Amino acid sequence: MTDLADRDWRLIRDDPRDGATQMAIEEVAARTALEDDLRTVRIYSWEPSTLSLGYRQDAATVDWKFCDREGIDVTRRQTGGGGIYHDRHADISYTIVAPADEVPGDLMDCYALFCEPILAAFDRMGIDADFAAAAQDAIYQPSCYLRDIHPAHDVVAPASAGADAKKISGNAQYRQRDVVIQHGSISYDLEPRRHVGVFDESIAESTFTNRVTSIREQAGIDREAAVETIADSLREWCDATESDWWDEELAATSELADRKFGADAWVHDREILEA
C-alpha cells in the first residue's frame, strides 16, 4: 500500500446526471486510473430521481408503476445490497476510484481507509457519526436503508446512541479491472414516501424514518454547505486537484450507459449487450 498523497488524484464536483450515466462513469474512471495513472474522488447528485438496485436484487421487488408515475429512473449497480432511492436534494453521493495494489487488500481495512474522509466530513458538520457499533437485523431486505446494518460499512448517527443510532450513510465497494471502486449514499434529507414507494411491498413511511436519519436532522445545515464539506474532505484526504471529466471519458461513458446501465437487459437480468 502506498501513501495516497504520493499519487495523482483529481476531485470532480460533478454535474447532476441520470442513473445509468452515474454508474457508467465509475467504470470509465477505473480505466483512467489504470491507463492514465490518475485516481478519482467525486461528489455528485442524480437527475432525474433514480432507484439504484443492488447487483443481485430481483427486479420484481420494484414497484414499476410507482416509479413510472413519479418519474423515477431505475438502474442497477455493480455493488451488492438493496435498492436506494436517489435524487438531487435528499441524497448526496460520492465515489472513490484507485488501483487495487495501492490500497489495503483486506476488505474491512479498505472500507476503513475509504470512509475516512466521509467520517471526517460528518465531524466537521458537527455530527456524531461512526461505523455502526453493532449489527441490526433487516426490516426489509430489498431496501438498502432497511437491510441489516453492518458495522463494517454502514455509518450511523448519533453514534453515542449505540443500538438506537440511525443509519445516515451506506457504502459499498467492487473491483473493476484491478481497480477498487467505492461509492456511497449519504442522506442529506429524508424522502420516506419515495424511499418506500419504489418497492413492490407496502411499507409504512415510519418504518423508514425510525431507521434512517439525515444531515439536515442531525446538523441543520443547508445542502450546499454539506456538499462543500464532503467535497473538501475528499480533496484533502488524498491531496486531489480540482478537475473535470475529459471529453473522451464522457464519450465512453455515454456508450457504456446506453449499452449496459441504461439497458433493460442489465436492469432486469444483469445481462450486458455486446458492443
Side-chain angles (χ1 to χ4, degrees), residues 53-59 61 76-82 147 266-268 270:
L53 302 179
Y55 179 71
R56 298 191 181 280
Q57 185 173 347
D58 188 346
T61 61
R76 184 180 294 273
R77 305 188 306 272
Q78 286 279 18
T79 49
R147 287 168 70 91
W266 171 258
V267 175
H268 288 269
R270 301 199 307 273

Side-chain angles (χ1 to χ4, degrees), residues 74-193:
V74 182
T75 189
R76 184 180 294 273
R77 305 188 306 272
Q78 286 279 18
T79 49
I84 308 175
Y85 167 77
H86 311 272
D87 64 19
R88 193 171 178 175
H89 172 72
D91 177 277
I92 301 172
S93 294
Y94 76 91
T95 308
I96 299 174
V97 182
D101 61 3
E102 297 177 1
V103 300
D106 179 81
L107 181 63
M108 298 302 100
D109 290 343
C110 197
Y111 269 127
L113 175 66
F114 279 13
C115 285
E116 281 180 4
I118 305 306
L119 293 174
F122 281 130
D123 186 61
R124 292 182 187 185
M125 289 185 276
I127 299 172
D128 173 28
D130 204 346
F131 290 115
Q136 295 184 36
D137 292 338
I139 298 172
Y140 178 64
Q141 200 70 15
S143 167
C144 175
Y145 277 88
L146 298 180
R147 287 168 70 91
D148 51 309
I149 291 180
H150 198 296
H153 47 74
D154 288 326
V155 176
V156 298
S160 58
D164 293 327
K166 297 182 179 182
K167 186 169 179 175
I168 195 169
S169 175
N171 310 276
Q173 286 183 16
Y174 67 103
R175 294 185 180 232
Q176 182 80 21
R177 298 185 63 206
D178 299 319
V179 174
V180 175
I181 301 170
Q182 177 166 308
H183 53 201
S185 169
I186 301 167
S187 290
Y188 169 70
D189 204 356
L190 301 183
E191 286 282 357
R193 186 183 70 86

